[in-house]
Amino acid sequence: MSQSTVLERDEQTIESETIVSVEQTESVSSAFSLMIDENAIAWLTIDVPNEKMNTLQTVFAQQVTDVLDEIDRRKSDIKGVIVHSAKPDNFVAGADIRMLEACTTAAEAQQLAETGQVLFERLEKLPFHVVAAIHGPCLGGGLELALACHSRVCSDADITRIGLPEVQLGLLPGSGGTQRLPRLVGVLPALDMILTGKQLRGKKAAKLGVVDACVPESILLEVAKKIALGKKPKRHLGGKEWLMAKNPLGRGVIFDQAAKKTNAKTRGNYPAADAILEVIKVGLQKGMKSGLQLEAKRFGELVQSSESAALRSIFFATTAMKKEHGTEAKPTPVTSVSVLGGGLMGAGIAHVSVSKAKIPARIKDVSNDGVLNALSYNYGLFEKQRKRRIITKAQLQKKMMQLSGSIDFTGFAKSDVVIEAVFEDLKLKQQMVASTEENGKEGVIFATNTSSLPIHQIAKEAKHPENIIGLHYFSPVEKMPLVEVIPHETTSDETISTVVSLAKKQGKTAIVVADKAGFYVNRILAPYMNEAAQVLMSGEPIDHIDRALLDFGFPVGPITLLDEVGIDIGSKIMPILVAELGERFQGPDVFDVLLNDNRKGRKTGRGFYSYKGKKKAVDKTVYKLLKLKPLQKQSAPVIAKRCALMMLNEAARCLDEGIIRSARDGDIGAIFGIGFPPFLGGPFRYMDSVGISQIVDEMNQHAKKYGDRFLPCDKLVEMAESNQRFY
């Protein structure tokens, strides 16, 4: 039985058994209502009008106050309260982030947090048992609301997610989450949840004690009724949790370790993490009242921080992109895909098609071993999910049944989209186009996963070039969130919309980019990597260069990234970019030297680093190979700025040339495709925050010192002269 059916059934029952019905508040668009049934259970229902998702908004504060006032007036009629959602697929997805944009001062944002704290404290102090019945997302302010209840029960449905993701927006939970969660589950689990923003499935939430029970959605409200009519629970932390939370010595150790671990990840670039540690620690040391006061104060400060503003901009951008299809054309439904190539890319593409898009995928490879390897790779990924109890054994088997493979084109006539992931060879890819048109259904879309070859060249011999498009995934496909959709001149709008829609179903953020060498992501990455190589050839140590860019905010350093991608891959892409875009893409001659010594990176066990199992260390023999004597001469910020400026300049060129459609797309592409520091908002928001004039001045200074490759592009010069911004 679906949750919507359960809710309809229970609300009908409540209506027929009601002994008192509270009038809706006078406010237009009331989101909170109250009904009391014959069992003396008060049902506090959340249903934001005209919205698919329930979110907490400032305008609802008075509505909640009115409902709580009515509960106080009807105390003699009530034995228990159940807080639930009338939405069929969500509880409360969090606070509406838009209201933060209206805050002009930290004090205004602090007031928002304090208002939530007061309302949730009133809920918590109700004299009868208050139960949250959770189905679907219960995130951020939604979980803070549930934590203020005395008990929580959730459904075991796949859509149920429970967490405090505020840190991902550069914030902390501001309505009591930092204080109630540690007291409920213990310091360690609470720190893990709040510092990472991870979302728990129902069973995991029950195991940690975030919820008291995880049940089938068909009986969720019945279980909530039984709990509400019982006594309030008396909660006590276990011995280990007590030692860490209450004992000053144990508490000090755990917070010191957490601070070190957090700083190693954030490198001081995310102030929300430090604020979270501080607020939780103060609350445990000085009491909940002090903790709540500091929580609201830090929340207000973080809302006004540049880091949170940048992270919120990413949230708004990706939310807007979910509603877009790249063109005005209506996408064609995709019910089956085929993948050409059973390597890691092909296997990953098949995986996201089955696991995320829930579309059957057929894999073709030149050998049975290739097909088997792809199937085995998928089984391994699903098995990890089973071990983590994300899926059951039966679900694993069902998902594997959606995968098939062969060494010929059998079954391709059923596929709506064929995604090619073979070697970067133009003739081979053109042959794949011809074979697909010969063996596929009429109107089949051919999407090529190329990182460098122009799409119009791949489509040159096609009978139906309007159905040919680029679909550039990033490795590993199952983890990387971005995909570049690359139409050529005659690709139809319907093909673009269909492929963008498919990519989104696969769990990807899709940006539409123009068909030119390097597309967008690799084009802005190449100058950045080249400059890192220039710095290396000047004698700076490998690990010093990597640390400099890690401190700047990239997830991995450029030298490590080259090892991860593969030095051989870099050697193939660079000549294409030089031929198509000019000498500024010509980097120092390190590729051939390393490849002649059989150094391809991690996949061969050595590149700039040597790899033994999980251990990685700088391979100092590289210095001798490149005839270098490593000596740290430049500071980390100087090195980071050198590399970053090259990326910024190329990003501006890409926007000017129409490679990307907007600064927004350019920021999302850089963050999700390369790992440009999210707290900086992407290359375009970063240039705005620094100031275009200053960026141009710095580029000119670098050009005098290091060469003309740093000269700012015409777009930036014009913007600086006219005092323009990208946003």
Side-chain angles (χ1 to χ4, degrees):
M1 184 181 293
S2 70
Q3 179 66 10
S4 58
T5 307
V6 173
L7 288 172
E8 288 165 6
R9 182 201 66 196
D10 275 15
E11 285 171 355
Q12 289 166 0
T13 303
I14 292 166
E15 285 178 12
S16 64
E17 298 172 347
T18 296
I19 57 174
V20 60
S21 175
V22 177
E23 292 183 7
Q24 296 286 335
T25 57
E26 294 296 325
S27 171
V28 178
S29 301
S30 180
F32 293 82
S33 60
L34 184 73
M35 303 181 84
I36 304 173
D37 68 18
E38 66 176 10
N39 295 312
I41 292 178
W43 294 80
L44 199 168
T45 304
I46 309 169
D47 188 6
V48 179
N50 305 315
E51 296 285 350
K52 184 180 178 182
M53 304 288 285
N54 283 330
T55 57
L56 302 179
Q57 303 172 29
T58 311
V59 294
F60 297 153
Q62 187 58 50
Q63 296 176 20
V64 177
T65 299
D66 291 343
V67 168
L68 292 174
D69 288 344
E70 187 64 26
I71 290 175
D72 281 339
R73 286 194 292 270
R74 300 285 184 176
K75 278 191 286 192
S76 60
D77 299 327
I78 299 172
K79 292 182 180 179
V81 177
I82 294 175
V83 182
H84 74 117
S85 167
K87 304 292 186 190
D89 57 2
N90 64 93
F91 180 70
V92 177
D96 191 332
I97 308 302
R98 290 172 295 184
M99 64 185 179
L100 301 181
E101 303 305 300
C103 296
T104 58
T105 66
E108 289 178 11
Q110 180 177 335
Q111 182 61 50
L112 287 178
E114 289 172 346
T115 299
Q117 289 178 353
V118 169
L119 291 174
F120 292 166
E121 186 176 12
R122 279 195 67 185
L123 185 68
E124 187 176 43
K125 287 185 175 180
L126 289 175
F128 18 73
H129 200 165
V130 182
V131 181
I134 301 165
H135 173 66
C138 174
L139 304 170
L143 179 53
E144 290 182 292
L145 167 62
L147 289 171
C149 299
H150 307 126
S151 297
R152 288 149 296 283
V153 57
C154 74
S155 76
D156 62 1
D158 285 343
I159 61 171
T160 296
R161 295 285 191 279
I162 296 172
L164 295 170
E166 286 88 347
V167 71
Q168 296 170 1
L169 295 177
L171 303 170
L172 53 69
S175 295
T178 66
Q179 303 305 301
R180 290 190 177 91
L181 189 62
R183 287 167 171 79
L184 179 67
V185 301
V187 177
L188 276 175
L191 284 174
D192 183 45
M193 284 184 65
I194 300 174
L195 285 171
T196 64
K198 67 170 58 174
Q199 299 178 19
L200 307 178
R201 292 171 182 267
K203 290 181 181 178
K204 181 67 173 179
K207 185 177 180 181
L208 283 180
V210 180
V211 299
D212 299 284
C214 176
V215 302
E217 57 179 302
S218 59
I219 60 170
L220 175 66
L221 299 182
E222 292 295 334
V223 172
K225 283 183 189 179
K226 291 180 181 179
I227 295 174
L229 292 172
K231 292 182 179 180
K232 291 183 186 179
K234 293 182 178 180
R235 304 189 185 277
H236 301 284
L237 291 175
K240 182 179 178 182
E241 286 77 14
W242 180 91
L243 183 65
M244 291 178 176
K246 302 295 184 182
N247 180 285
L249 181 61
R251 187 171 58 224
V253 170
I254 190 64
F255 277 96
D256 286 346
Q257 290 179 344
K260 289 178 182 177
K261 187 176 179 181
T262 299
N263 190 60
K265 289 184 176 181
T266 67
R267 305 181 91 87
N269 290 319
Y270 293 86
D274 294 330
I276 288 166
L277 288 167
E278 178 194 13
V279 168
I280 294 176
K281 188 174 183 180
V282 166
L284 293 174
Q285 286 177 336
K286 298 183 179 180
M288 188 152 177
K289 183 178 180 181
S290 295
L292 288 171
Q293 289 174 346
L294 186 60
E295 178 189 77
K297 186 173 188 295
R298 292 288 180 263
F299 178 84
E301 294 166 352
L302 289 170
V303 167
Q304 293 302 306
S305 70
S306 61
E307 292 85 359
S308 179
L311 292 167
R312 296 199 305 270
S313 76
I314 298 168
F315 171 81
F316 289 126
T318 53
T319 300
M321 292 172 82
K322 288 177 182 177
K323 302 173 184 177
E324 301 170 0
H325 295 292
T327 73
E328 295 300 318
K330 187 177 181 181
T332 301
V334 176
T335 58
S336 176
V337 301
S338 290
V339 180
L340 294 170
L344 289 179
M345 290 298 289
I349 293 167
H351 182 79
V352 295
S353 299
V354 170
S355 63
K356 298 285 188 180
K358 296 178 171 53
I359 297 171
R362 186 166 183 82
I363 303 163
K364 179 196 175 299
D365 197 82
V366 294
S367 70
N368 284 318
D369 285 345
V371 173
L372 290 172
N373 286 337
L375 295 175
S376 177
Y377 183 80
N378 272 272
Y379 181 84
L381 293 174
F382 288 132
E383 176 64 8
K384 283 182 182 178
Q385 293 181 356
R386 187 197 65 78
K387 287 180 177 178
R388 292 169 57 195
R389 298 186 179 181
I390 295 173
I391 61 174
T392 63
K393 186 175 181 179
Q395 288 172 323
L396 182 154
Q397 292 170 342
K398 184 178 179 181
K399 289 176 184 294
M400 287 303 297
M401 290 290 287
Q402 296 290 295
L403 287 162
S404 59
S406 66
I407 58 173
D408 57 27
F409 287 90
T410 302
F412 270 56
K414 297 179 181 178
S415 294
D416 301 299
V417 177
V418 172
I419 305 172
E420 166 269 304
V422 301
F423 297 114
E424 288 287 276
D425 180 276
L426 180 59
K427 287 188 176 181
L428 177 60
K429 289 179 184 289
Q430 289 175 337
Q431 182 184 330
M432 293 299 99
V433 171
S435 296
T436 297
E437 289 185 328
E438 181 181 347
N439 295 280
K441 65 192 296 185
E442 184 178 352
V444 63
I445 292 173
F446 182 92
T448 173
N449 177 52
T450 178
S451 59
S452 57
L453 295 172
I455 309 304
H456 67 273
Q457 291 183 18
I458 295 172
K460 190 175 181 181
E461 306 296 330
K463 294 177 182 176
H464 297 284
E466 70 275 11
N467 297 332
I468 312 298
I469 194 167
L471 190 55
H472 181 210
Y473 296 88
F474 296 83
S475 183
V477 178
E478 63 275 6
K479 291 182 180 179
M480 295 296 287
L482 186 77
V483 67
E484 290 180 305
V485 176
I486 313 113
H488 62 95
E489 279 190 2
T490 59
T491 301
S492 71
D493 284 352
E494 187 178 78
T495 296
I496 298 171
S497 291
T498 300
V499 168
V500 169
S501 178
L502 171 62
K504 288 195 290 186
K505 288 178 181 177
Q506 291 173 329
K508 304 299 177 187
T509 296
I511 61 170
V512 179
V513 302
D515 181 24
K516 197 166 183 179
F519 311 131
Y520 173 66
V521 171
N522 281 342
R523 179 166 163 180
I524 67 170
L525 179 63
Y528 163 85
M529 300 287 277
N530 277 344
E531 196 57 34
Q534 294 280 10
V535 175
L536 171 64
M537 295 306 289
S538 73
E540 294 292 341
I542 291 168
D543 49 349
H544 179 49
I545 298 169
D546 272 349
R547 281 197 302 270
L549 275 304
L550 286 171
D551 290 344
F552 187 77
F554 281 91
V556 295
I559 310 298
T560 294
L561 181 59
L562 192 53
D563 264 6
E564 294 289 343
V565 171
I567 296 167
D568 55 329
I569 302 298
S571 71
K572 291 179 181 178
I573 294 175
M574 289 301 177
I576 295 172
L577 296 176
V578 172
E580 293 283 332
L581 301 170
E583 287 300 313
R584 73 176 183 276
F585 282 88
Q586 184 64 60
D589 187 19
V590 298
F591 291 131
D592 289 343
V593 175
L594 293 173
L595 291 175
N596 288 337
D597 196 44
N598 195 32
R599 294 173 182 268
K600 294 182 180 179
R602 181 181 282 276
K603 58 188 171 187
T604 57
R606 63 176 192 157
F608 292 97
Y609 291 86
S610 61
Y611 302 88
K612 293 180 180 178
K614 293 184 178 180
K615 291 184 179 181
K616 181 184 86 169
V618 172
D619 189 339
K620 295 182 179 180
T621 62
V622 169
Y623 296 126
K624 185 176 180 181
L625 197 65
L626 297 174
K627 300 177 182 178
L628 298 173
K629 291 184 178 180
L631 179 64
Q632 187 174 317
K633 300 182 288 292
Q634 293 189 327
S635 69
V638 168
I639 292 172
K641 182 56 70 76
R642 275 184 67 175
C643 297
L645 284 175
M646 294 296 289
M647 180 181 287
L648 299 178
N649 210 4
E650 204 58 41
R653 281 195 186 93
C654 285
L655 181 60
D656 194 32
E657 294 174 17
I659 302 301
I660 48 175
R661 296 182 173 186
S662 65
R664 180 205 71 176
D665 286 6
D667 282 339
I668 294 299
I671 291 168
F672 288 179
I674 299 171
F676 189 92
F679 67 90
L680 297 178
F684 295 99
R685 282 200 183 273
Y686 175 64
M687 285 189 277
D688 272 358
S689 66
V690 174
I692 307 300
S693 294
Q694 184 174 330
I695 292 291
V696 167
D697 287 345
E698 289 177 353
M699 287 178 177
N700 283 324
Q701 291 168 17
H702 278 69
K704 291 178 182 178
K705 194 169 184 179
Y706 302 112
D708 288 352
R709 64 184 181 276
F710 278 98
L711 287 173
C713 67
D714 292 343
K715 171 84 171 174
L716 289 176
V717 173
E718 291 169 7
M719 290 182 70
E721 289 174 350
S722 55
N723 197 28
Q724 294 180 33
R725 295 169 57 88
F726 289 106
Y727 288 94

